[in-house]
Amino acid sequence: MYLVLNLGLKSIRAIVFGDKGRIVVNCSYPLSTILNGDAVEQDGAEWWSKGIKVINDALENDNLRKKIRYITVTASSCCLIPINKLGEPLSNIIMVSDKRASKECIHISKLDSYKEIRKDRSDFEVKSSLMLPKILWLKNNRKNVFNEAAYFLSPNDYFGYRLTGHTAVDTFNAEKCFFDSATNTYPTKLLKELKIPLEKLPKVVQVGDLVSQVTNEFKKLIHVDKSQSLEYVVSTYDAICAFYGSGVAENGDACDVSGTVTSLRTLAKGRVEISSTAILSQYQPEFDVSIIGGSNNLGGGLIEWAKQAFYSEHDSPYELIESEAKKVSNGADGVLFLPYLMGERSPLWNDDARGVFFGLSRNHKREHMMRAVFESTGFSLRNILEEIENTGREVKIIRSSGGLSRIHLVAQIKADILGKEIQIVDEYETTALGAYLLMGISTGLFKDLKDASSITRVREIIFPNLDKHEKYSKSYKLYKDIYTSLLSCYSEHSKLHKENMYSRSDKIENM
């Protein structure tokens, strides 16, 4: 059997897979997030303790424990963990949506060694969400942590190191540290100019590589006999795993994965070069495919925010939120919501952007705002879709998974806004499923990607209403115009906040 540890932004889950993707056990614990202005952090010690606890919960049945042969870890990309040689985090984890490295991005962009990289990689652009600017931020602001660090790792690599004693990063995660998968090299000239030691970055391996047996110390922690074979397999970060877990395998297959964030990506055969920096084209030589698309900062996380902000008196308000949103017709009676509560990644890449309710009138109520929040998930998705289609890719249908896909009204709104057929995948845990499929391919359980993807099933098909699509298109244009008109305001707002605000740190559960 196969064990996937899925380290999400809001929870950590241990999922055991049996034959043909059957989930045998699924256990989870919530994770806390610390928000303080531009800073977004989590606690690596909490990750590790809850990781061990959730694995032991999943393997409570001793017979099941004896059958586990392979383990992998998937997590969000671009979360920076500086560790010492014992594998202990030296500070809180700098999360993907942390925006403190904006000055470091400006500095990097002016360097000749960076400009050389840009000549060969026109689709590549330094952004505060990436790993290298975060490492430079540590160097500039947490010098003791920077100097003491033995390695700078992503969440996958951190757990891999604790499990095996070896540092290893997959190519997709390594790209967040400016690794060039075409030449299989880190940017040595840039690293030297930034005075970031190359030896503090992990060794790059291919997705699906078997790194080694886990250590006897780790086996002891999860009560596995030291004679039992248990190998650690490198998968990759959550958006890519979920992409494969959605069942994509053919040219033009696309998937919308909406957990805390939303990822929209499509598959193209062969290596595809694009000029846009709004989205990514990531080539995987093992399958000879390119994955084109990107992730925003909040998808299902918008619903969690709405729950905490407007329904805190209810223990389980999701049905109430949906029922209230259903009371309101398309267009939310003139209310539009810009969902940039934590800035925005793809396709806008604007750290200063913030959430906005536009068009509020005296007659509007909570349900109008909730309807606008629901509709914003479709507008944000369409923003990424347009960038994908601008590269010449044709997207006819979109497979949908993640927690947000379970809200039927959201799925219908997305179909109407996009004008595309939405196929709801039966297993919404597509991140873990994709990690399992990647392990299965590398260990011979599946022949190839097409064979692995065949186990994914579609539960429901949502067809778009083309009349509503036409009306939503007018609202979508206004949605984009509002954002554009606010660019200077966002910038000024950011300056004011950095000067006078954010003195209080908030700790929240469920991003």
Side-chain angles (χ1 to χ4, degrees):
M1 289 189 176
Y2 295 73
L3 174 63
V4 175
L5 190 66
N6 183 3
L7 182 62
L9 294 174
K10 59 182 285 188
S11 66
I12 186 167
R13 301 183 287 285
I15 301 170
V16 177
F17 288 91
D19 295 336
K20 297 181 179 179
R22 178 177 58 93
I23 291 180
V24 180
V25 178
N26 186 344
C27 299
S28 68
Y29 285 102
L31 293 171
S32 299
T33 301
I34 302 162
L35 304 177
N36 188 3
D38 286 341
V40 185
E41 298 179 343
Q42 289 188 356
D43 182 357
E46 182 186 15
W47 284 5
W48 180 248
S49 63
K50 287 187 175 179
I52 296 299
K53 189 174 182 180
V54 79
I55 290 173
N56 278 313
D57 284 359
L59 302 182
E60 185 177 19
N61 183 308
D62 195 50
N63 187 47
L64 180 63
R65 190 185 305 265
K66 293 176 181 177
K67 293 180 180 179
I68 298 296
R69 291 294 176 267
Y70 302 101
I71 183 171
T72 193
V73 181
T74 181
S76 295
S77 68
C78 297
C79 301
L80 176 62
I81 312 169
I83 66 165
N84 60 24
K85 288 194 175 180
L86 296 176
E88 299 166 336
L90 299 173
S91 69
N92 278 341
I93 314 309
I94 301 176
M95 302 300 288
V96 58
S97 48
D98 189 287
K99 294 171 284 294
R100 286 174 288 180
S102 56
K103 290 182 180 178
E104 283 69 25
C105 288
I106 294 171
H107 173 73
I108 291 172
S109 68
K110 294 178 180 178
L111 299 177
D112 290 339
S113 52
Y114 170 76
K115 292 175 183 176
E116 286 182 26
I117 295 172
R118 287 280 285 149
K119 287 179 185 177
D120 298 326
R121 301 165 68 182
S122 61
D123 63 325
F124 175 82
E125 188 174 41
V126 62
K127 302 176 178 79
S128 63
S129 62
L130 296 175
M131 292 285 274
L132 206 55
K134 288 184 171 76
I135 296 172
L136 185 59
W137 183 89
L138 272 183
K139 181 174 179 287
N140 292 339
N141 297 275
R142 303 285 188 272
K143 193 168 286 292
N144 290 343
V145 171
F146 178 86
N147 291 334
E148 190 180 345
Y151 300 106
F152 299 112
L153 303 178
S154 71
N156 311 51
D157 319 332
Y158 164 63
F159 272 90
Y161 185 76
R162 297 288 297 260
L163 268 61
T164 67
H166 300 288
T167 61
V169 59
D170 68 275
T171 51
F172 288 130
N173 267 306
E175 286 173 355
K176 309 303 182 182
C177 218
F178 296 13
F179 179 81
D180 186 351
S181 57
T183 60
N184 288 313
T185 57
Y186 281 113
T188 52
K189 288 178 67 175
L190 178 59
L191 290 171
K192 187 174 182 179
E193 197 166 0
L194 295 173
K195 296 182 180 179
I196 295 174
L198 177 62
E199 60 270 19
K200 291 193 177 189
L201 301 181
K203 173 186 174 184
V204 181
V205 300
Q206 298 299 312
V207 174
D209 277 4
L210 278 69
V211 175
S212 74
Q213 288 283 325
V214 302
T215 64
N216 287 334
E217 290 79 6
F218 177 69
K219 286 181 179 179
K220 186 176 180 180
L221 287 173
I222 63 170
H223 309 292
V224 167
D225 191 275
K226 63 181 180 180
S227 64
Q228 181 175 324
S229 176
L230 180 55
E231 291 189 85
Y232 178 73
V233 183
V234 172
S235 53
T236 185
Y237 64 85
D238 53 4
I240 303 296
C241 285
F243 178 77
Y244 289 125
S246 297
V248 297
E250 298 296 337
N251 206 49
D253 286 353
C255 72
D256 150 37
V257 184
S258 292
T260 301
V261 307
T262 288
S263 163
L264 181 65
R265 285 169 162 85
T266 189
L267 183 142
K269 297 292 186 182
R271 183 186 289 274
V272 176
E273 305 288 348
I274 63 174
S275 59
S276 172
T277 58
I279 55 174
L280 302 171
S281 179
Q282 298 169 281
Y283 178 65
Q284 187 169 5
E286 300 94 322
F287 304 145
D288 189 30
V289 299
S290 293
I291 304 170
I292 303 170
S295 300
N296 65 16
N297 258 344
L298 284 177
L302 294 170
I303 310 304
E304 291 300 320
W305 164 75
K307 180 187 79 172
Q308 294 159 8
F310 302 109
Y311 299 86
S312 58
E313 72 277 15
H314 298 277
D315 292 332
S316 185
Y318 299 105
E319 289 185 7
L320 175 60
I321 294 173
E322 183 176 12
S323 67
E324 287 192 352
K326 279 181 178 177
K327 295 178 183 177
V328 182
S329 60
N330 295 342
D333 194 19
V335 180
L336 285 163
F337 179 61
L338 273 59
Y340 313 131
L341 301 179
M342 302 178 73
E344 186 58 301
R345 285 189 283 159
S346 185
L348 303 178
W349 300 106
N350 187 342
D351 290 343
D352 294 336
R354 287 297 180 270
V356 173
F357 279 106
F358 177 85
L360 286 173
S361 300
R362 180 63 182 83
N363 61 302
H364 289 132
K365 300 177 182 176
R366 184 172 69 178
E367 55 257 37
H368 295 91
M369 299 171 78
M370 291 307 97
R371 178 77 189 203
V373 169
F374 277 23
E375 291 178 349
S376 76
T377 66
F379 291 144
S380 176
L381 201 63
R382 182 164 171 176
N383 221 176
I384 301 174
L385 177 65
E386 284 185 342
E387 293 293 339
I388 293 174
E389 293 183 330
N390 285 342
T391 69
R393 303 294 113 189
E394 183 181 13
V395 177
K396 293 182 178 179
I397 60 171
I398 298 171
R399 290 196 167 194
S400 183
S401 64
L404 200 56
S405 70
R406 290 182 289 173
I407 302 178
H408 187 274
L409 177 59
V410 170
Q412 186 63 62
I413 287 171
K414 285 182 175 181
D416 293 343
I417 289 176
L418 301 179
K420 308 284 185 184
E421 179 183 310
I422 302 286
Q423 297 183 351
I424 307 298
V425 177
D426 189 42
E427 177 51 64
Y428 75 91
E429 286 274 13
T430 46
T431 296
L433 181 60
Y436 159 76
L437 296 181
L438 291 171
M439 282 198 292
I441 293 169
S442 68
T443 58
L445 184 64
F446 303 108
K447 292 185 297 184
D448 51 28
L449 177 59
K450 189 171 183 178
D451 182 37
S453 67
S454 66
I455 72 169
T456 304
R457 298 286 180 267
V458 172
R459 170 169 52 86
E460 183 181 6
I461 298 176
I462 310 291
F463 296 98
N465 181 310
L466 296 183
D467 288 336
K468 292 179 181 178
H469 172 66
E470 186 176 346
K471 292 177 182 177
Y472 269 132
S473 293
K474 296 176 182 178
S475 296
Y476 174 64
K477 182 182 182 303
L478 178 57
Y479 168 90
K480 291 201 299 181
D481 288 345
I482 294 167
Y483 167 76
T484 301
S485 69
L486 287 174
L487 285 174
S488 61
C489 296
Y490 280 141
S491 180
E492 185 62 26
H493 175 265
S494 177
K495 290 177 186 176
L496 290 173
H497 270 238
K498 286 174 182 176
E499 291 172 4
N500 303 312
M501 305 248 182
Y502 292 150
S503 61
R504 184 170 61 90
S505 177
D506 291 324
K507 186 173 183 180
I508 63 170
E509 283 193 353
N510 291 340
M511 278 277 287

